[in-house]
């Protein structure tokens, strides 16, 4: 028999990816790709803060991205 985690993402699951910070976007992009590899659909990306100067949002352009605070820092 196959063991299954009760909290795993199943095919067709709608997922919101949440992080504290968008800097270069690499961590969130990796999380989104992992969700998609498991068959989930990333419906939104949410972060508390975004460092706009690092242009991480560009890497996440195929997702809906919302942040609470935008800081122009590099």
């Amino acid at each position: 028999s196959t063991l299954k985690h009760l909290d795993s993402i199943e095919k067709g699951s709608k997922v919101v990816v949440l992080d504290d910070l968008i800097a270069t976007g690499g961590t969130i992009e990796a999380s989104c790709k992992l969700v998609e590899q498991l068959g989930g659909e990333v419906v939104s990306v949410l972060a508390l803060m975004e460092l706009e100067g690092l242009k991480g949002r560009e890497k996440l352009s195929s997702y809906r991205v919302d942040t609470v605070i935008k800081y122009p820092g590099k």
Side-chain angles (χ1 to χ4, degrees):
S1 85
T2 302
L3 295 176
K4 182 176 177 182
H5 290 276
L6 296 176
D7 61 348
S8 65
I9 296 170
E10 296 181 0
K11 187 173 182 174
S13 295
K14 294 188 183 303
V15 178
V16 174
V17 175
L18 176 64
D19 203 347
D20 59 342
L21 175 70
I22 297 175
T24 64
T27 302
I28 296 176
E29 180 186 39
S31 297
C32 291
K33 291 192 182 304
L34 188 59
V35 167
E36 292 166 348
Q37 286 176 3
L38 293 170
E41 174 190 352
V42 176
V43 294
S44 184
V45 171
L46 301 174
L48 178 61
M49 182 188 290
E50 176 182 358
L51 298 176
E52 294 179 302
L54 297 178
K55 303 183 189 282
R57 187 179 286 260
E58 291 176 9
K59 192 176 282 187
L60 305 170
S61 63
S62 61
Y63 306 102
R64 174 185 171 174
V65 178
D66 292 299
T67 56
V68 177
I69 301 166
K70 293 182 181 181
Y71 182 74
K74 296 180 182 179

